[in-house]
Amino acid sequence: MALSSLLLVLLLLFLAPSASSAASAAPSTPATYGVSYSIDCGGTSNFTSEFGRNWLSDRYFTGGAAGTVAEPNRFSQPQEQTLRFFPPNSFGKKSCYSIPVPPGRYYLRTFTVYDNYDSKLRTPAFDVSLEGTVVFSWRSPWNEAVARSGAYADLIGPVRDGSADLCFYSIATDPPVVASIELFQIDPLAYDAATASADFILVNYGRLSSGSALFGPGFTNDSDLFGRVWQSDADFRNPNVRVKALSSGGRQVLGGGHAHNYFPPQLYLTAITPQQSGEAIEYLLPVDTRMDYMVWFHFAEIDSGINAAGRRVFDIVINGKDITRIDIFKAVGGFTAFKWHHVVKNLTTAPLSLKLVPVVGKPIICGLENYAMVPLDIATVSDQARAMRALKESFKIPDRMGWNGDPCAPTTWDAWEGVTCHRTEKGLVITQLDLGSQGLKGYISDQISLLPDLVGLNLSSNSLSGELPSGLVQKSLVKLDLSGNQFNGNIPESFDSSNLQLVLLNNNELEGQVPEKLYSVGVHGGIIDLSGNKGLCGVPSLPACSFFWDKGKLSIQAKIAIGLSCGVVFSMLLLVYVLCIKRGRNDYDFAPPQDLLSSAMAAKRNRYQRQKLLLEMENQHSVGIALPQTNSH
């Protein structure tokens, strides 16, 4: 979608620094509904503003580079004097703020200023997206007052995961720039979200207070539970109709500050009405055509002279069409807030004309809001977005590549660098990753199996390592280039994809047997390169695999041989065991009696003594001693 940045920033000039110095005497009441952030873009430290709001430095939320405005004395608020810019050459085409918040509905306000901070005398052109939907478009050249003093822009939209992603897309070589970001959680049913705006982001084209000056948190001490700021309507009324301001005169007005919108009670304390009877109040609001708009009207009968129904009646006419008739006292009575809204479909003319045409008495109005209803852009399928975040971590993606926010949205952008997406009925899906020679380090996360629509994957000439996940090759994959890395281990059997036409696994550290079907890619007219892997085997042009090993595991033949060997060994051990048992039993049955053993040992001892005696006698004979005659019997 395309928004007119010129009209938008002109509409929001009321929030420039010169106006923000005005302060009400009312006591400070900070917003307390849910989660809120006030981020000083480019600031180096946290601080507390003069209105009691705590501002955080943005150094933990994003990348880019910090800067300061060229003329700080023009800006009264510290958060307006610093800024963050995103050099396209060092941080890619897309840079984001990722703000951790629970899922819900949020009010977002940004302050943007150029102020010639880079001395190039050229305002940048860039787009801004929230949660993958383009919400602001800044086109060069900016209006001079906006370029020097800055402008606020705000919206209301959903955050559906655990992070509010505010992203900036550079057009040509322009560096996007932002000075502050404010985020407030609001009621999930606010602004008729249940029936009209749940699938839209409401971009502010005017939030006006009738009969009063600018008020709201951060700019005055007046409160708004959702952080909204209300500006005077004086610059948007038809100047040909003179009006007078009305006040509640100190009386309380009921009905403000209630769920689900929590409009500030102060809004209904003032109003305007025409000075002359019979005149209509007309607002001319700048808008972009071919869009839908949600218009909110705020009324309260604060004229004590109107004390019965039928005494103030008027019609609401939008672009010449009579929409409804309003009788405030009949609807809610006096000194009670009355809200009414209408959706203008497919606006074809600009500006948007809103008239309060009198029927009885003079029309009266307390405030007015106008929001462009920007449809949420189609997002990346949640499983695939999660897989891409896991790959970002595993690949150690360098800052220059961005890879923040939604991988595929907004669809009008180039998405993440190296990522190609395709629109389907289920959402945006990733069809190609072209990340060759990008200085990647790490490994391939097994979450890549959640990319079933991937057609091409190029990770060549990086420093990736580790084993290849089994779910890497899906049925859709046609081209796979993992060459020039340090992948190790075996090629998973899941690589047997009949759809692969290009397989480059050369110059890695892979090992084991190559799946036969994978090698057949080359046989069937495709291209396959497995060179430079010393451990691969089993197909032509590669060494034969070991008899005992297959893909890093025991081969079937080895398992059979080991099984047979174990069987033989077991049989032999069983036989020995049986023989030992049998021998043990024989020794027990035929053992000689103890007395027989004793006699045998005594006889052996006698023979030894006799032989010893004969030996001594022979020795005596040899030295001349006559030996006695022995009886051989």
Side-chain angles (χ1 to χ4, degrees), residues 191 206-207 228 230 263 294-296 298 367-371:
Y191 288 90
R207 187 180 299 108
R228 293 161 295 198
W230 301 78
F263 294 119
M294 179 181 286
V295 186
W296 285 77
H298 300 277
L368 182 68
E369 296 176 90
N370 184 34
Y371 296 95

Side-chain angles (χ1 to χ4, degrees), residues 72-148:
N73 59 309
R74 293 180 56 84
F75 303 89
S76 60
Q77 304 297 326
Q79 68 272 13
E80 297 170 339
Q81 298 172 2
T82 60
L83 50 84
R84 175 77 58 178
F85 62 95
F86 301 94
N89 294 333
S90 60
F91 280 88
K93 295 181 179 179
K94 180 178 172 184
S95 299
C96 298
Y97 281 81
S98 294
I99 306 172
V101 293
R105 199 161 175 81
Y106 287 85
Y107 171 72
L108 171 75
R109 178 167 59 233
T110 64
F111 178 68
T112 304
V113 62
Y114 172 64
D115 192 43
N116 198 30
Y117 74 93
D118 56 3
S119 301
K120 293 183 178 179
L121 298 174
R122 182 180 183 276
T123 54
F126 59 92
D127 288 339
V128 185
S129 77
L130 175 67
E131 294 292 281
T133 299
V134 176
V135 290
F136 304 134
S137 294
W138 294 82
R139 294 295 182 265
S140 185
W142 300 5
N143 174 274
E144 182 180 357
V146 172
R148 294 195 65 192

Side-chain angles (χ1 to χ4, degrees), residues 297-600:
F297 295 84
H298 300 277
F299 306 107
E301 185 51 81
I302 60 175
D303 183 352
S304 58
I306 304 296
N307 52 19
R311 299 190 61 181
R312 190 194 303 273
V313 181
F314 53 91
D315 291 337
I316 295 181
V317 179
I318 300 178
N319 277 356
K321 183 178 181 181
D322 195 336
I323 303 298
T324 190
R325 179 161 292 181
I326 300 292
D327 185 337
I328 303 171
F329 201 96
K330 182 179 179 179
V332 295
F335 293 90
T336 302
F338 175 58
K339 289 84 65 177
W340 182 84
H341 73 277
H342 177 74
V343 175
V344 182
K345 294 283 189 179
N346 192 26
L347 189 67
T348 57
T349 61
L352 176 63
S353 172
L354 307 174
K355 280 187 178 182
L356 308 182
V357 179
V359 176
V360 177
K362 302 175 182 179
I364 186 175
I365 186 169
C366 295
L368 182 68
E369 296 176 90
N370 184 34
Y371 296 95
M373 301 180 65
V374 180
L376 292 173
D377 203 345
I378 186 172
T380 303
V381 173
S382 58
D383 285 349
Q384 299 201 18
R386 184 171 71 252
M388 293 301 290
R389 288 192 290 269
L391 287 175
K392 175 183 176 180
E393 296 298 323
S394 67
F395 288 160
K396 303 186 185 304
I397 295 292
D399 288 339
R400 60 178 172 77
M401 294 181 64
W403 278 46
N404 297 303
D406 190 292
C408 299
T411 53
T412 55
W413 292 5
D414 290 342
W416 289 5
E417 185 172 344
V419 180
T420 301
C421 303
H422 182 69
R423 184 188 293 263
T424 67
E425 293 182 356
K426 60 183 179 180
L428 297 173
V429 298
I430 291 92
T431 57
Q432 187 161 327
L433 295 180
D434 189 0
L435 303 173
S437 303
Q438 292 292 343
L440 307 182
K441 300 178 180 179
Y443 60 97
I444 302 179
S445 167
D446 56 8
Q447 291 279 318
I448 199 170
S449 62
L450 298 177
L451 303 179
D453 304 279
L454 200 62
V455 176
L457 176 60
N458 176 15
L459 299 175
S460 63
S461 302
N462 287 293
S463 298
L464 300 172
S465 59
E467 295 187 355
L468 301 177
S470 59
L472 176 61
V473 175
Q474 303 288 324
K475 291 183 178 180
S476 61
L477 195 65
V478 175
K479 298 180 180 180
L480 176 65
D481 186 353
L482 304 180
S483 60
N485 286 282
Q486 292 93 47
F487 292 117
N488 54 47
N490 306 114
I491 300 177
E493 295 182 2
S494 59
F495 275 47
D496 289 346
S497 171
S498 59
N499 296 321
L500 284 171
Q501 300 175 8
L502 172 71
V503 183
L504 303 180
L505 300 176
N506 52 295
N507 299 320
N508 279 283
E509 299 172 7
L510 299 171
E511 59 186 7
Q513 186 170 358
V514 177
E516 293 182 4
K517 290 184 179 179
L518 176 64
Y519 184 77
S520 67
V521 169
V523 177
H524 293 89
I527 299 173
I528 183 170
D529 189 348
L530 303 173
S531 62
N533 293 277
K534 295 182 180 179
L536 291 179
C537 61
V539 295
S541 77
L542 295 177
C545 294
S546 169
F547 175 83
F548 286 100
W549 297 99
D550 180 14
K551 299 178 182 178
K553 300 179 292 184
L554 287 172
S555 64
I556 296 177
Q557 297 89 336
K559 292 178 181 178
I560 294 175
I562 292 175
L564 292 174
S565 300
C566 290
V568 171
V569 172
F570 177 77
S571 299
M572 293 179 64
L573 291 175
L574 181 63
L575 178 61
V576 170
Y577 175 76
V578 171
L579 291 177
C580 288
I581 292 297
K582 185 174 181 181
R583 176 65 181 271
R585 291 176 178 173
N586 290 341
D587 289 347
Y588 178 79
D589 293 340
F590 299 101
Q594 185 67 28
D595 55 351
L596 183 59
L597 287 174
S598 301
S599 301

Side-chain angles (χ1 to χ4, degrees), residues 139-366:
R139 294 295 182 265
S140 185
W142 300 5
N143 174 274
E144 182 180 357
V146 172
R148 294 195 65 192
S149 300
Y152 283 82
D154 64 75
L155 55 84
I156 294 169
V159 174
R160 295 178 173 174
D161 53 14
S163 175
D165 294 323
L166 184 69
C167 298
F168 300 81
Y169 177 76
S170 174
I171 298 172
T173 58
D174 294 342
V177 62
V178 62
S180 72
I181 298 170
E182 298 167 83
L183 191 69
F184 297 84
Q185 186 179 20
I186 69 174
D187 192 292
L189 297 179
Y191 288 90
D192 199 23
T195 59
S197 61
D199 296 325
F200 294 88
I201 292 178
L202 303 180
V203 178
N204 176 25
Y205 272 66
R207 187 180 299 108
L208 311 178
S209 174
S210 302
S212 68
L214 172 142
F215 74 92
F219 300 92
T220 71
N221 283 329
D222 304 292
S223 65
D224 182 298
L225 191 62
F226 293 164
R228 293 161 295 198
V229 174
W230 301 78
Q231 73 176 109
S232 170
D233 67 343
D235 294 333
F236 301 93
R237 294 194 307 262
N238 185 338
N240 297 322
V241 178
R242 300 183 65 182
V243 300
K244 66 177 181 179
L246 301 177
S247 171
S248 66
R251 293 186 58 177
Q252 181 183 6
V253 178
L254 304 176
H258 291 174
H260 300 285
N261 296 308
Y262 294 96
F263 294 119
Q266 181 174 340
L267 177 65
Y268 303 96
L269 298 181
T270 61
I272 61 167
T273 189
Q275 289 186 358
Q276 301 295 327
S277 298
E279 290 189 320
I281 299 175
E282 182 179 17
Y283 290 94
L284 299 173
L285 303 181
V287 290
D288 291 316
T289 57
R290 300 186 302 277
M291 296 181 63
D292 297 345
Y293 289 85
M294 179 181 286
V295 186
W296 285 77
F297 295 84
H298 300 277
F299 306 107
E301 185 51 81
I302 60 175
D303 183 352
S304 58
I306 304 296
N307 52 19
R311 299 190 61 181
R312 190 194 303 273
V313 181
F314 53 91
D315 291 337
I316 295 181
V317 179
I318 300 178
N319 277 356
K321 183 178 181 181
D322 195 336
I323 303 298
T324 190
R325 179 161 292 181
I326 300 292
D327 185 337
I328 303 171
F329 201 96
K330 182 179 179 179
V332 295
F335 293 90
T336 302
F338 175 58
K339 289 84 65 177
W340 182 84
H341 73 277
H342 177 74
V343 175
V344 182
K345 294 283 189 179
N346 192 26
L347 189 67
T348 57
T349 61
L352 176 63
S353 172
L354 307 174
K355 280 187 178 182
L356 308 182
V357 179
V359 176
V360 177
K362 302 175 182 179
I364 186 175
I365 186 169
C366 295

